[in-house]
Amino acid sequence: MPTFAYQSINSNSSTNHGISASNSQHFTRMTHNHQAANQDPSHLIMPTADGLDPHTPIYGPAQLVAQAPQGFMAKGQHSNAQFLSMIEGKARQTLQHLYRSLGQTCDLLVYGEMNGANIEWSSMQQHAGGLVGASSTGKACNSFSVHAANTTQHQILGSGMGWIAVKSGNVNAVFVHVPNSIAKNEREAVFFYRTINNLLIQQGHGAIDLVMGDTNQGNDSFTPSALSVATGTFFRDAHTDDEVTPSDTYQISFAGTNSTGSKKYDVAAYNTKTIRVAKVDYISQNTPVTVNGASMAASVTDHMGIFIDVTK
């Protein structure tokens, strides 16, 4: 029963794949300020232990905190080292929240818009898991970083503009950051997914089982529909609720997963012929921070992340 997590960070179009390409980008700032408008404590911080393997479950109660004030993530407020520390903390929170949500540790954690092969991101291996592989098609925003507790259990099957495919156990998982130029065009999206599916089949790996990531889709049914046409097999969105309630928020839901919580861009769509979903969940854009000695939360990206537990 592989468990997967995916989350995009918000990076610019620079050919520099270091921390500066992701530090307090425009949509990250928008996300933080939007959530900071809610003055009530609504973010749950799990206990972590930096000295331990990040996949080790840490027991103890969650801490309920408020969002840091608006402007906290303004450009220039945090050095690259400080921002990296926030992302590292976010990774450890992700693994702890996934364990609480799914009841088991994370097999594969993938980041979009991060090039894990860049030396400036090398410390993520101590906080997100060992590096299975990384890919980029030139720009920071077109990159992926794949992490796992046991890197030998996973194989990179291929990658290209807006996607990376990984075999985890017997599951073919494709992680995407679909380019805006094709994300809402049905014909182009079908071609995008068909090309990937055909490549995996031609290589002898079989068809796509699971697609996760930032789809930039125009409506909630767009991605499953495009995948169904592209593969000739029925795909379904694993999350069927009308609202998105991230596992690290308290008594607050959203209409979507983007910076304003209005569009459901981030999804997990599965091949109903090959996959059974045990559970799917979301995690917010936030990470723990300290403001004037107080524990709070701050957004370090613009899109929510996804957890899923599947069997094949």
Side-chain angles (χ1 to χ4, degrees), residues 6 110 112 134-137 141-144 146 156-166 173-179 182 191-200 203 208 211-212 214:
Y6 177 92
V110 180
S135 71
S136 180
T137 51
C141 60
N142 296 331
S143 303
F144 293 91
V146 181
I156 305 295
L157 302 181
S159 63
M161 175 63 76
W163 66 277
I164 187 168
V166 185
V174 178
F175 301 91
V176 300
H177 177 205
V178 182
I182 68 172
F191 180 77
F192 175 78
Y193 291 118
R194 179 175 289 152
T195 299
I196 300 169
N197 192 60
N198 288 346
L199 177 63
L200 298 188
Q203 292 178 343
I208 296 172
V211 170
M212 293 178 68
D214 175 6

Side-chain angles (χ1 to χ4, degrees), residues 208-209 233-237 269-276:
I208 296 172
D209 295 311
T233 303
F234 185 62
F235 273 73
R236 178 178 290 146
D237 186 342
Y270 68 100
N271 185 333
T272 60
K273 185 177 180 180
T274 62
I275 290 291
R276 183 179 68 84

Side-chain angles (χ1 to χ4, degrees), residues 6 20 79 84-85 94 165-166 185 190 222 231:
Y6 177 92
S20 61
S79 68
L84 174 60
S85 180
T94 295
V166 185
N185 183 310
V190 167
F222 182 90
T231 64

Side-chain angles (χ1 to χ4, degrees), residues 6-150:
Y6 177 92
Q7 187 154 32
S8 290
I9 62 173
N10 181 201
S11 301
N12 63 28
S13 59
S14 172
T15 54
N16 171 14
H17 295 177
I19 310 301
S20 61
S22 310
N23 188 348
S24 299
Q25 293 299 307
H26 170 74
F27 288 109
T28 296
R29 304 194 300 269
M30 180 186 297
T31 305
H32 178 82
N33 290 338
H34 179 79
Q35 295 196 21
N38 174 23
Q39 298 297 309
D40 297 326
S42 60
H43 188 76
L44 297 169
I45 295 176
M46 291 297 178
T48 59
D50 285 351
L52 295 181
D53 183 285
H55 296 83
T56 302
I58 308 296
Y59 295 92
Q63 182 181 11
L64 181 63
V65 304
Q67 195 84 349
Q70 290 185 342
F72 180 79
M73 292 304 295
K75 200 72 173 175
Q77 287 289 101
H78 309 287
S79 68
N80 287 345
Q82 290 171 329
F83 185 77
L84 174 60
S85 180
M86 293 182 199
I87 296 287
E88 292 169 346
K90 173 66 170 170
R92 286 187 173 267
Q93 286 292 307
T94 295
L95 295 173
Q96 294 301 318
H97 277 287
L98 182 144
Y99 180 80
R100 302 279 183 114
S101 176
L102 303 186
Q104 54 187 314
T105 57
C106 180
D107 289 306
L108 200 71
L109 170 56
V110 180
Y111 287 101
E113 304 194 45
M114 176 191 292
N115 183 354
N118 186 286
I119 191 170
E120 292 188 23
W121 291 113
S122 61
S123 65
M124 287 297 290
Q125 296 190 56
Q126 282 73 59
H127 301 277
L131 187 66
V132 177
S135 71
S136 180
T137 51
K139 298 177 181 179
C141 60
N142 296 331
S143 303
F144 293 91
S145 187
V146 181
H147 298 264
N150 186 340

Side-chain angles (χ1 to χ4, degrees), residues 180-253:
N180 283 312
S181 60
I182 68 172
K184 297 174 177 63
N185 183 310
E186 182 178 4
R187 182 179 63 83
E188 294 290 341
V190 167
F191 180 77
F192 175 78
Y193 291 118
R194 179 175 289 152
T195 299
I196 300 169
N197 192 60
N198 288 346
L199 177 63
L200 298 188
I201 292 172
Q202 290 166 7
Q203 292 178 343
H205 302 298
I208 296 172
D209 295 311
L210 178 68
V211 170
M212 293 178 68
D214 175 6
T215 66
N216 289 302
Q217 62 184 359
N219 59 67
D220 292 358
S221 63
F222 182 90
T223 297
S225 176
L227 277 162
S228 298
V229 174
T231 64
T233 303
F234 185 62
F235 273 73
R236 178 178 290 146
D237 186 342
H239 177 267
T240 57
D241 295 341
D242 292 334
E243 294 186 324
V244 177
T245 305
S247 59
D248 59 337
T249 58
Y250 175 72
Q251 294 186 342
I252 184 171
S253 297

